[in-house]
Amino acid sequence: NWNQTDLPAPFDPYGQDLDNTFYARAHERLTKIIAGRENLKILEIGCAHSVWPLYFQTYHKAQVDGIDYSDIGCKKTRELWDHYGVKGDIYNADMFNPPSDLIGRYDMVVSFGVMEHFEDTAGALRAAMAFLKPDGQLFTMIPNMSGLIGVIQKWADRDIYNIHVPLSARNLKDSHSQANARVVDSGYFMSVNLGVAHAQRWVGTSNCITMRSIPTKLVWLFERSGLRFPANRVTSPYIYVVAEKNNTDG
């Protein structure tokens, strides 16, 4: 898949295009989380082909690194970062067995669609927490496979659904607590985004893409009036947790 993928374009969190809605909302949330913190050192877990480090470098003046176990994923990410001028290191490594000098090194560790692939969610989160400084913060976002997105994904491409663990917001929050993290904020994110569901056979199929995008964009267009539908366990496309490293056990 990485071999066939073009370089993704960076996003403008202030862009007015409806296609930019997710990034604009994510920017709102992340800005509140980061507010008042400067000179952050941020690690993205699962950084293959990711423009998030470019976002953190550009809009939050952070120093960014990434880790991913995929050889080709890291190679493509290096090309991407070089193209857009991202200054940071990319580690081709397993987060469960990382280079020792990365342990306890970061102010913030982020992941977007990683932790839901592990049966032992708490174990994966503990591995992520190891990269944090004593006062570090973990930001985790996953697709809501326990809601409507999961139903659509199961119908559209069962193989993709099967590589996810369908977690609820409560499940993800509890897993952070089990990983000895202190949860600061958690919940469902956004009201709808049917585009989160994916199927290989949809690639290049305009009718299927339209079926997902039109209802989503109609909701987003309505929400621009200032009245947003509440995030909820059924239709929300994402789940997030903000947690801090708990050092009470030494």
Short mmCIF file of all heavy atoms in Angstrom, two decimals, residues 131-192:
data_model
loop_
_atom_site.label_atom_id
_atom_site.label_comp_id
_atom_site.label_asym_id
_atom_site.label_seq_id
_atom_site.Cartn_x
_atom_site.Cartn_y
_atom_site.Cartn_z
N PHE A 131 7.86 6.20 26.59
CA PHE A 131 8.58 7.25 25.88
C PHE A 131 8.46 8.62 26.57
O PHE A 131 9.17 9.56 26.23
CB PHE A 131 8.07 7.39 24.45
CG PHE A 131 8.28 6.16 23.60
CD1 PHE A 131 7.22 5.32 23.30
CD2 PHE A 131 9.53 5.86 23.09
CE1 PHE A 131 7.41 4.19 22.50
CE2 PHE A 131 9.73 4.74 22.30
CZ PHE A 131 8.67 3.90 22.01
N LEU A 132 7.54 8.73 27.53
CA LEU A 132 7.24 10.02 28.14
C LEU A 132 8.19 10.38 29.27
O LEU A 132 8.63 9.52 30.04
CB LEU A 132 5.81 10.01 28.69
CG LEU A 132 4.67 10.02 27.66
CD1 LEU A 132 3.34 9.80 28.37
CD2 LEU A 132 4.66 11.34 26.89
N LYS A 133 8.43 11.67 29.39
CA LYS A 133 9.08 12.21 30.57
C LYS A 133 8.14 12.04 31.77
O LYS A 133 6.95 11.77 31.60
CB LYS A 133 9.39 13.69 30.37
CG LYS A 133 10.41 13.97 29.27
CD LYS A 133 10.60 15.48 29.09
CE LYS A 133 11.61 15.80 28.00
NZ LYS A 133 11.78 17.26 27.79
N PRO A 134 8.64 12.21 33.01
CA PRO A 134 7.78 12.02 34.19
C PRO A 134 6.50 12.85 34.16
O PRO A 134 5.47 12.41 34.68
CB PRO A 134 8.70 12.44 35.34
CG PRO A 134 10.07 12.10 34.85
CD PRO A 134 10.05 12.42 33.38
N ASP A 135 6.54 14.04 33.57
CA ASP A 135 5.35 14.88 33.51
C ASP A 135 4.74 14.87 32.11
O ASP A 135 4.00 15.78 31.74
CB ASP A 135 5.68 16.32 33.92
CG ASP A 135 6.76 16.95 33.04
OD1 ASP A 135 7.41 16.21 32.27
OD2 ASP A 135 6.96 18.18 33.11
N GLY A 136 5.04 13.85 31.33
CA GLY A 136 4.59 13.80 29.94
C GLY A 136 3.12 13.48 29.78
O GLY A 136 2.44 13.03 30.71
N GLN A 137 2.63 13.71 28.56
CA GLN A 137 1.21 13.56 28.26
C GLN A 137 1.03 12.68 27.03
O GLN A 137 1.77 12.78 26.05
CB GLN A 137 0.59 14.93 28.02
CG GLN A 137 -0.92 14.98 28.13
CD GLN A 137 -1.42 16.41 28.21
OE1 GLN A 137 -1.09 17.25 27.38
NE2 GLN A 137 -2.22 16.71 29.23
N LEU A 138 0.01 11.83 27.09
CA LEU A 138 -0.30 10.90 26.01
C LEU A 138 -1.62 11.31 25.37
O LEU A 138 -2.62 11.52 26.06
CB LEU A 138 -0.41 9.48 26.57
CG LEU A 138 -0.55 8.32 25.60
CD1 LEU A 138 0.73 8.13 24.79
CD2 LEU A 138 -0.88 7.03 26.35
N PHE A 139 -1.61 11.42 24.02
CA PHE A 139 -2.84 11.70 23.29
C PHE A 139 -3.11 10.52 22.37
O PHE A 139 -2.30 10.20 21.50
CB PHE A 139 -2.74 12.99 22.48
CG PHE A 139 -3.98 13.27 21.65
CD1 PHE A 139 -5.09 13.84 22.24
CD2 PHE A 139 -4.03 12.95 20.30
CE1 PHE A 139 -6.24 14.09 21.50
CE2 PHE A 139 -5.17 13.20 19.55
CZ PHE A 139 -6.28 13.78 20.15
N THR A 140 -4.24 9.87 22.55
CA THR A 140 -4.61 8.68 21.79
C THR A 140 -5.92 8.94 21.06
O THR A 140 -6.90 9.36 21.67
CB THR A 140 -4.80 7.47 22.72
OG1 THR A 140 -3.65 7.31 23.55
CG2 THR A 140 -5.04 6.20 21.91
N MET A 141 -5.94 8.68 19.74
CA MET A 141 -7.19 8.76 18.98
C MET A 141 -7.33 7.49 18.16
O MET A 141 -6.36 7.03 17.53
CB MET A 141 -7.22 9.99 18.08
CG MET A 141 -8.52 10.11 17.27
SD MET A 141 -8.66 11.67 16.36
CE MET A 141 -9.15 12.79 17.67
N ILE A 142 -8.53 6.91 18.17
CA ILE A 142 -8.80 5.69 17.42
C ILE A 142 -10.16 5.82 16.72
O ILE A 142 -11.00 6.63 17.12
CB ILE A 142 -8.81 4.44 18.33
CG1 ILE A 142 -9.97 4.49 19.32
CG2 ILE A 142 -7.49 4.29 19.06
CD1 ILE A 142 -10.20 3.22 20.09
N PRO A 143 -10.41 5.02 15.68
CA PRO A 143 -11.75 5.01 15.08
C PRO A 143 -12.73 4.31 16.00
O PRO A 143 -12.37 3.38 16.74
CB PRO A 143 -11.54 4.22 13.78
CG PRO A 143 -10.37 3.34 14.06
CD PRO A 143 -9.47 4.14 14.97
N ASN A 144 -13.97 4.74 15.96
CA ASN A 144 -15.01 4.18 16.82
C ASN A 144 -15.62 2.94 16.16
O ASN A 144 -16.72 2.98 15.61
CB ASN A 144 -16.09 5.23 17.09
CG ASN A 144 -17.22 4.69 17.96
OD1 ASN A 144 -17.06 3.69 18.65
ND2 ASN A 144 -18.36 5.36 17.91
N MET A 145 -14.91 1.84 16.25
CA MET A 145 -15.36 0.60 15.63
C MET A 145 -16.47 -0.09 16.41
O MET A 145 -17.01 -1.11 15.98
CB MET A 145 -14.18 -0.36 15.45
CG MET A 145 -13.24 0.03 14.35
SD MET A 145 -14.00 -0.13 12.72
CE MET A 145 -12.74 0.65 11.69
N SER A 146 -16.84 0.45 17.57
CA SER A 146 -17.95 -0.11 18.33
C SER A 146 -19.27 0.56 17.97
O SER A 146 -20.32 0.18 18.49
CB SER A 146 -17.70 0.02 19.84
OG SER A 146 -17.70 1.38 20.22
N GLY A 147 -19.24 1.54 17.07
CA GLY A 147 -20.44 2.26 16.66
C GLY A 147 -20.77 2.04 15.20
O GLY A 147 -20.46 1.00 14.61
N LEU A 148 -21.40 3.06 14.60
CA LEU A 148 -21.84 2.98 13.20
C LEU A 148 -20.69 2.70 12.25
O LEU A 148 -20.84 1.93 11.29
CB LEU A 148 -22.54 4.28 12.82
CG LEU A 148 -23.02 4.40 11.37
CD1 LEU A 148 -24.06 3.34 11.06
CD2 LEU A 148 -23.59 5.81 11.12
N ILE A 149 -19.54 3.31 12.50
CA ILE A 149 -18.38 3.10 11.63
C ILE A 149 -18.01 1.62 11.60
O ILE A 149 -17.67 1.07 10.54
CB ILE A 149 -17.18 3.95 12.11
CG1 ILE A 149 -17.47 5.43 11.87
CG2 ILE A 149 -15.91 3.53 11.39
CD1 ILE A 149 -17.69 5.82 10.42
N GLY A 150 -18.07 0.97 12.73
CA GLY A 150 -17.76 -0.45 12.78
C GLY A 150 -18.75 -1.29 11.98
O GLY A 150 -18.36 -2.24 11.29
N VAL A 151 -20.02 -0.94 12.07
CA VAL A 151 -21.05 -1.65 11.30
C VAL A 151 -20.79 -1.51 9.81
O VAL A 151 -20.83 -2.48 9.05
CB VAL A 151 -22.46 -1.11 11.65
CG1 VAL A 151 -23.51 -1.75 10.74
CG2 VAL A 151 -22.78 -1.37 13.11
N ILE A 152 -20.50 -0.27 9.37
CA ILE A 152 -20.22 -0.04 7.96
C ILE A 152 -18.94 -0.75 7.53
O ILE A 152 -18.88 -1.37 6.46
CB ILE A 152 -20.10 1.48 7.69
CG1 ILE A 152 -21.44 2.17 7.95
CG2 ILE A 152 -19.66 1.74 6.24
CD1 ILE A 152 -21.37 3.68 7.90
N GLN A 153 -17.92 -0.68 8.38
CA GLN A 153 -16.64 -1.32 8.05
C GLN A 153 -16.80 -2.83 7.92
O GLN A 153 -16.23 -3.46 7.02
CB GLN A 153 -15.60 -0.98 9.10
CG GLN A 153 -14.20 -1.51 8.80
CD GLN A 153 -13.64 -0.88 7.54
OE1 GLN A 153 -13.27 0.28 7.53
NE2 GLN A 153 -13.57 -1.65 6.47
N LYS A 154 -17.57 -3.43 8.80
CA LYS A 154 -17.79 -4.87 8.77
C LYS A 154 -18.47 -5.28 7.46
O LYS A 154 -18.14 -6.31 6.87
CB LYS A 154 -18.64 -5.29 9.97
CG LYS A 154 -18.71 -6.79 10.18
CD LYS A 154 -19.64 -7.13 11.33
CE LYS A 154 -19.17 -6.55 12.63
NZ LYS A 154 -20.03 -6.99 13.78
N TRP A 155 -19.40 -4.46 7.00
CA TRP A 155 -20.10 -4.74 5.75
C TRP A 155 -19.21 -4.48 4.55
O TRP A 155 -19.21 -5.25 3.58
CB TRP A 155 -21.37 -3.89 5.66
CG TRP A 155 -21.98 -3.88 4.29
CD1 TRP A 155 -22.79 -4.84 3.75
CD2 TRP A 155 -21.83 -2.86 3.30
NE1 TRP A 155 -23.14 -4.49 2.47
CE2 TRP A 155 -22.57 -3.28 2.17
CE3 TRP A 155 -21.15 -1.64 3.26
CZ2 TRP A 155 -22.64 -2.52 1.01
CZ3 TRP A 155 -21.22 -0.88 2.10
CH2 TRP A 155 -21.95 -1.32 1.00
N ALA A 156 -18.46 -3.40 4.60
CA ALA A 156 -17.68 -2.97 3.44
C ALA A 156 -16.44 -3.81 3.20
O ALA A 156 -16.10 -4.14 2.05
CB ALA A 156 -17.27 -1.51 3.61
N ASP A 157 -15.75 -4.16 4.29
CA ASP A 157 -14.51 -4.94 4.15
C ASP A 157 -14.23 -5.61 5.49
O ASP A 157 -13.62 -5.01 6.38
CB ASP A 157 -13.34 -4.04 3.74
CG ASP A 157 -12.14 -4.82 3.25
OD1 ASP A 157 -11.85 -5.89 3.84
OD2 ASP A 157 -11.48 -4.39 2.28
N ARG A 158 -14.67 -6.84 5.62
CA ARG A 158 -14.57 -7.55 6.90
C ARG A 158 -13.11 -7.77 7.31
O ARG A 158 -12.79 -7.79 8.49
CB ARG A 158 -15.29 -8.90 6.80
CG ARG A 158 -15.38 -9.67 8.12
CD ARG A 158 -16.16 -8.87 9.15
NE ARG A 158 -16.24 -9.56 10.42
CZ ARG A 158 -17.33 -10.18 10.86
NH1 ARG A 158 -18.43 -10.20 10.12
NH2 ARG A 158 -17.34 -10.77 12.03
N ASP A 159 -12.21 -7.93 6.32
CA ASP A 159 -10.80 -8.16 6.65
C ASP A 159 -10.21 -6.96 7.37
O ASP A 159 -9.43 -7.12 8.32
CB ASP A 159 -10.00 -8.44 5.37
CG ASP A 159 -10.30 -9.81 4.79
OD1 ASP A 159 -10.84 -10.65 5.52
OD2 ASP A 159 -10.02 -10.02 3.60
N ILE A 160 -10.57 -5.76 6.94
CA ILE A 160 -10.08 -4.55 7.62
C ILE A 160 -10.70 -4.45 9.01
O ILE A 160 -10.03 -4.12 9.99
CB ILE A 160 -10.38 -3.29 6.78
CG1 ILE A 160 -9.53 -3.29 5.51
CG2 ILE A 160 -10.12 -2.02 7.60
CD1 ILE A 160 -9.76 -2.11 4.60
N TYR A 161 -12.00 -4.72 9.11
CA TYR A 161 -12.65 -4.70 10.42
C TYR A 161 -11.97 -5.65 11.40
O TYR A 161 -11.77 -5.33 12.58
CB TYR A 161 -14.13 -5.06 10.28
CG TYR A 161 -14.86 -5.17 11.59
CD1 TYR A 161 -15.36 -4.04 12.23
CD2 TYR A 161 -15.02 -6.41 12.22
CE1 TYR A 161 -16.01 -4.13 13.45
CE2 TYR A 161 -15.68 -6.51 13.43
CZ TYR A 161 -16.17 -5.37 14.05
OH TYR A 161 -16.81 -5.46 15.26
N ASN A 162 -11.58 -6.82 10.91
CA ASN A 162 -11.03 -7.86 11.77
C ASN A 162 -9.66 -7.52 12.35
O ASN A 162 -9.23 -8.18 13.31
CB ASN A 162 -10.94 -9.19 11.00
CG ASN A 162 -12.31 -9.83 10.82
OD1 ASN A 162 -13.27 -9.49 11.51
ND2 ASN A 162 -12.41 -10.75 9.86
N ILE A 163 -8.96 -6.54 11.79
CA ILE A 163 -7.66 -6.17 12.36
C ILE A 163 -7.81 -5.05 13.39
O ILE A 163 -6.82 -4.48 13.84
CB ILE A 163 -6.63 -5.77 11.28
CG1 ILE A 163 -7.08 -4.53 10.52
CG2 ILE A 163 -6.36 -6.93 10.34
CD1 ILE A 163 -6.03 -4.00 9.56
N HIS A 164 -9.05 -4.73 13.74
CA HIS A 164 -9.33 -3.74 14.78
C HIS A 164 -9.98 -4.42 15.98
O HIS A 164 -10.72 -5.38 15.84
CB HIS A 164 -10.29 -2.66 14.26
CG HIS A 164 -9.73 -1.78 13.19
ND1 HIS A 164 -9.63 -2.19 11.88
CD2 HIS A 164 -9.22 -0.52 13.24
CE1 HIS A 164 -9.10 -1.21 11.16
NE2 HIS A 164 -8.84 -0.20 11.96
N VAL A 165 -9.70 -3.88 17.15
CA VAL A 165 -10.42 -4.27 18.37
C VAL A 165 -11.49 -3.21 18.59
O VAL A 165 -11.17 -2.04 18.77
CB VAL A 165 -9.48 -4.33 19.59
CG1 VAL A 165 -10.27 -4.67 20.84
CG2 VAL A 165 -8.38 -5.36 19.35
N PRO A 166 -12.77 -3.57 18.53
CA PRO A 166 -13.85 -2.58 18.64
C PRO A 166 -14.01 -2.07 20.08
O PRO A 166 -14.71 -2.68 20.89
CB PRO A 166 -15.09 -3.33 18.16
CG PRO A 166 -14.79 -4.77 18.42
CD PRO A 166 -13.30 -4.92 18.26
N LEU A 167 -13.36 -0.97 20.38
CA LEU A 167 -13.38 -0.40 21.73
C LEU A 167 -14.41 0.71 21.84
O LEU A 167 -14.62 1.48 20.90
CB LEU A 167 -11.99 0.16 22.07
CG LEU A 167 -10.82 -0.81 22.04
CD1 LEU A 167 -9.51 -0.05 22.12
CD2 LEU A 167 -10.93 -1.81 23.18
N SER A 168 -15.02 0.84 22.99
CA SER A 168 -15.86 1.99 23.31
C SER A 168 -15.00 3.05 23.99
O SER A 168 -13.84 2.80 24.35
CB SER A 168 -17.00 1.58 24.24
OG SER A 168 -16.47 1.21 25.52
N ALA A 169 -15.56 4.23 24.19
CA ALA A 169 -14.84 5.28 24.90
C ALA A 169 -14.49 4.83 26.32
O ALA A 169 -13.40 5.10 26.83
CB ALA A 169 -15.66 6.56 24.93
N ARG A 170 -15.41 4.11 26.95
CA ARG A 170 -15.16 3.61 28.31
C ARG A 170 -14.02 2.58 28.29
O ARG A 170 -13.16 2.59 29.18
CB ARG A 170 -16.43 2.99 28.88
CG ARG A 170 -16.28 2.43 30.29
CD ARG A 170 -15.87 3.52 31.27
NE ARG A 170 -15.69 3.02 32.61
CZ ARG A 170 -16.65 2.98 33.53
NH1 ARG A 170 -17.88 3.40 33.23
NH2 ARG A 170 -16.41 2.55 34.73
N ASN A 171 -14.03 1.69 27.29
CA ASN A 171 -12.96 0.70 27.18
C ASN A 171 -11.60 1.36 27.06
O ASN A 171 -10.64 0.96 27.73
CB ASN A 171 -13.17 -0.19 25.94
CG ASN A 171 -14.40 -1.06 26.00
OD1 ASN A 171 -14.99 -1.38 24.96
ND2 ASN A 171 -14.83 -1.44 27.19
N LEU A 172 -11.52 2.39 26.19
CA LEU A 172 -10.23 3.04 25.96
C LEU A 172 -9.77 3.80 27.20
O LEU A 172 -8.60 3.77 27.57
CB LEU A 172 -10.32 3.98 24.76
CG LEU A 172 -8.99 4.59 24.28
CD1 LEU A 172 -8.03 3.50 23.83
CD2 LEU A 172 -9.22 5.60 23.15
N LYS A 173 -10.72 4.46 27.87
CA LYS A 173 -10.39 5.17 29.10
C LYS A 173 -9.89 4.19 30.17
O LYS A 173 -8.86 4.43 30.82
CB LYS A 173 -11.61 5.92 29.61
CG LYS A 173 -11.38 6.67 30.91
CD LYS A 173 -12.65 7.38 31.36
CE LYS A 173 -12.44 8.11 32.68
NZ LYS A 173 -13.68 8.79 33.13
N ASP A 174 -10.59 3.09 30.33
CA ASP A 174 -10.20 2.10 31.34
C ASP A 174 -8.83 1.49 31.02
O ASP A 174 -8.03 1.21 31.94
CB ASP A 174 -11.24 0.99 31.43
CG ASP A 174 -12.53 1.44 32.08
OD1 ASP A 174 -12.54 2.54 32.68
OD2 ASP A 174 -13.53 0.71 32.00
N SER A 175 -8.55 1.30 29.73
CA SER A 175 -7.25 0.74 29.34
C SER A 175 -6.12 1.69 29.71
O SER A 175 -5.03 1.25 30.11
CB SER A 175 -7.23 0.46 27.83
OG SER A 175 -8.13 -0.58 27.50
N HIS A 176 -6.35 2.99 29.59
CA HIS A 176 -5.34 3.96 30.02
C HIS A 176 -5.11 3.86 31.53
O HIS A 176 -3.96 3.92 31.99
CB HIS A 176 -5.75 5.38 29.63
CG HIS A 176 -5.47 5.74 28.21
ND1 HIS A 176 -6.22 5.28 27.15
CD2 HIS A 176 -4.49 6.52 27.66
CE1 HIS A 176 -5.74 5.76 26.02
NE2 HIS A 176 -4.69 6.51 26.31
N SER A 177 -6.19 3.73 32.28
CA SER A 177 -6.05 3.61 33.73
C SER A 177 -5.29 2.34 34.09
O SER A 177 -4.44 2.34 34.98
CB SER A 177 -7.43 3.61 34.38
OG SER A 177 -8.11 4.83 34.15
N GLN A 178 -5.57 1.24 33.37
CA GLN A 178 -4.88 -0.02 33.61
C GLN A 178 -3.40 0.09 33.26
O GLN A 178 -2.57 -0.64 33.81
CB GLN A 178 -5.53 -1.13 32.79
CG GLN A 178 -6.93 -1.49 33.24
CD GLN A 178 -7.70 -2.27 32.20
OE1 GLN A 178 -7.13 -2.80 31.25
NE2 GLN A 178 -9.02 -2.33 32.35
N ALA A 179 -3.07 1.01 32.36
CA ALA A 179 -1.68 1.23 31.97
C ALA A 179 -0.97 2.19 32.92
O ALA A 179 0.15 2.63 32.65
CB ALA A 179 -1.61 1.76 30.54
N ASN A 180 -1.64 2.54 34.03
CA ASN A 180 -1.10 3.43 35.05
C ASN A 180 -0.97 4.87 34.53
O ASN A 180 -0.02 5.58 34.86
CB ASN A 180 0.25 2.95 35.58
CG ASN A 180 0.59 3.60 36.92
OD1 ASN A 180 -0.31 3.90 37.71
ND2 ASN A 180 1.87 3.84 37.17
N ALA A 181 -1.94 5.27 33.72
CA ALA A 181 -2.01 6.65 33.25
C ALA A 181 -3.16 7.35 33.95
O ALA A 181 -4.19 6.72 34.25
CB ALA A 181 -2.22 6.69 31.74
N ARG A 182 -3.01 8.62 34.22
CA ARG A 182 -4.08 9.41 34.83
C ARG A 182 -4.85 10.11 33.72
O ARG A 182 -4.32 10.98 33.04
CB ARG A 182 -3.51 10.44 35.80
CG ARG A 182 -4.59 11.20 36.58
CD ARG A 182 -3.98 12.15 37.58
NE ARG A 182 -3.37 13.30 36.95
CZ ARG A 182 -4.03 14.39 36.58
NH1 ARG A 182 -5.35 14.47 36.77
NH2 ARG A 182 -3.41 15.41 36.03
N VAL A 183 -6.09 9.71 33.51
CA VAL A 183 -6.90 10.25 32.42
C VAL A 183 -7.35 11.67 32.76
O VAL A 183 -7.95 11.92 33.80
CB VAL A 183 -8.11 9.36 32.13
CG1 VAL A 183 -9.01 9.99 31.07
CG2 VAL A 183 -7.65 7.97 31.67
N VAL A 184 -7.04 12.60 31.85
CA VAL A 184 -7.39 14.00 32.03
C VAL A 184 -8.69 14.32 31.29
O VAL A 184 -9.53 15.08 31.77
CB VAL A 184 -6.26 14.91 31.50
CG1 VAL A 184 -6.65 16.38 31.58
CG2 VAL A 184 -4.97 14.65 32.26
N ASP A 185 -8.85 13.73 30.12
CA ASP A 185 -10.03 14.00 29.29
C ASP A 185 -10.22 12.80 28.36
O ASP A 185 -9.24 12.18 27.92
CB ASP A 185 -9.83 15.28 28.48
CG ASP A 185 -11.10 15.72 27.76
OD1 ASP A 185 -12.19 15.29 28.16
OD2 ASP A 185 -11.00 16.49 26.79
N SER A 186 -11.47 12.50 28.05
CA SER A 186 -11.73 11.39 27.14
C SER A 186 -13.15 11.48 26.62
O SER A 186 -13.99 12.18 27.19
CB SER A 186 -11.53 10.04 27.85
OG SER A 186 -12.51 9.86 28.86
N GLY A 187 -13.41 10.76 25.54
CA GLY A 187 -14.77 10.74 25.01
C GLY A 187 -14.80 10.47 23.52
O GLY A 187 -13.79 10.14 22.90
N TYR A 188 -15.98 10.65 22.97
CA TYR A 188 -16.15 10.52 21.53
C TYR A 188 -15.84 11.87 20.88
O TYR A 188 -15.97 12.92 21.51
CB TYR A 188 -17.58 10.08 21.20
CG TYR A 188 -17.86 8.68 21.71
CD1 TYR A 188 -18.50 8.48 22.93
CD2 TYR A 188 -17.45 7.57 20.99
CE1 TYR A 188 -18.73 7.20 23.42
CE2 TYR A 188 -17.68 6.29 21.48
CZ TYR A 188 -18.31 6.11 22.68
OH TYR A 188 -18.52 4.84 23.15
N PHE A 189 -15.45 11.82 19.59
CA PHE A 189 -14.99 13.04 18.92
C PHE A 189 -15.71 13.20 17.60
O PHE A 189 -15.72 12.30 16.77
CB PHE A 189 -13.47 12.96 18.69
CG PHE A 189 -12.89 14.20 18.07
CD1 PHE A 189 -12.85 15.40 18.77
CD2 PHE A 189 -12.40 14.18 16.77
CE1 PHE A 189 -12.32 16.54 18.20
CE2 PHE A 189 -11.85 15.31 16.20
CZ PHE A 189 -11.82 16.50 16.91
N MET A 190 -16.33 14.35 17.40
CA MET A 190 -17.13 14.72 16.24
C MET A 190 -18.44 13.93 16.21
O MET A 190 -18.56 12.89 16.86
CB MET A 190 -16.36 14.56 14.92
CG MET A 190 -15.11 15.40 14.83
SD MET A 190 -14.29 15.31 13.20
CE MET A 190 -15.51 16.07 12.12
N SER A 191 -19.39 14.41 15.44
CA SER A 191 -20.70 13.76 15.36
C SER A 191 -20.75 12.69 14.28
O SER A 191 -21.41 11.66 14.45
CB SER A 191 -21.79 14.81 15.09
OG SER A 191 -21.54 15.47 13.85
N VAL A 192 -20.06 12.92 13.16
CA VAL A 192 -20.12 11.96 12.06
C VAL A 192 -18.94 12.16 11.11
O VAL A 192 -18.45 13.28 10.95
CB VAL A 192 -21.46 12.09 11.28
CG1 VAL A 192 -21.54 13.43 10.55
CG2 VAL A 192 -21.67 10.95 10.31
#
